Amino acid sequence: MRASLEARAPRRRATEKPARTVLASNIKDAELVGERRARIAEAATREFLEKGFHAAVTRDIARRAGLSQGTLYNHVRSKADMLYLVCDEAVTNYQRGVREAIEGVRDPTERLRRAIEASVSLQHRYRDNIQIVLRDGYALDAKARDAVRRRIAEFFDLMRGLVDEALGGADPAMNLVVSEAITYLPTMFAMRRWRLPRDVPPERLVAAMTGCLVAMLTACAPSLAP
């Protein structure tokens, strides 16, 4: 995602809740809107992945989501909104998953290790979303691109905050390199999925990536070694 859509944003502390851009909806029931948008995002992910953004047809997305076109347009205004939802779903779940993984953990080193494990697992799970954003993100208008960039920056900032907590502030350059590496390398699950052997179970790939990142972390900061 960083390759084409990343933008700098003020860094937030790891404990802060992310700001979130909310698409307009004609429906007032927030729970219903959330449930239907999740269905729309899943259907759009499948259609965009198979056909590409421009070739995908709204009618097919609505049918795949189990909605009429009229109902779909009560929740989104355009295919660009759906593309935004595809990204937003992934980043929202990244952040939720990482926060759940570190909840109640007080030791900064262990918090970072658990965050890395959760992040790698989630980036593998949402590799389709990442691939779509990398491939089709250019189709967004400037406002939507900025919204996507802010959402992605929130996830990077969350991980950078955890790195700063674990490594301290003695070497900001090292903290930057480590945080960039642990957020960027797992995108290989989307960017180089054609290189991933089909006979290797996904959980093995996730474990290998997690082990690689933790080993890199302890090499850069020996004091963090268990």
Side-chain angles (χ1 to χ4, degrees), residues 4-18:
S4 58
L5 291 172
E6 182 187 359
R8 292 184 178 276
R11 195 148 41 86
R12 299 176 179 85
R13 295 179 61 84
T15 54
E16 289 184 14
K17 294 183 179 179

Side-chain angles (χ1 to χ4, degrees), residues 1 23 53 58 67 87-88 106 116 153 179 184 204 209 218:
M1 286 184 287
L23 300 175
F53 176 79
T58 301
L67 304 170
C87 175
D88 186 69
R106 301 182 65 85
I116 290 172
S179 64
Y184 178 74
R204 175 62 188 134
M209 174 63 75
T218 53

Side-chain angles (χ1 to χ4, degrees), residues 25 55 63 66 92 94 107 115 127 133 144 147 149 155 179 199 207-208 224:
S25 173
R63 182 168 56 245
T92 297
Y94 292 166
D107 178 69
R127 61 194 182 279
V133 173
R149 286 169 175 163
F155 175 63
S179 64
D199 59 343
L224 298 182

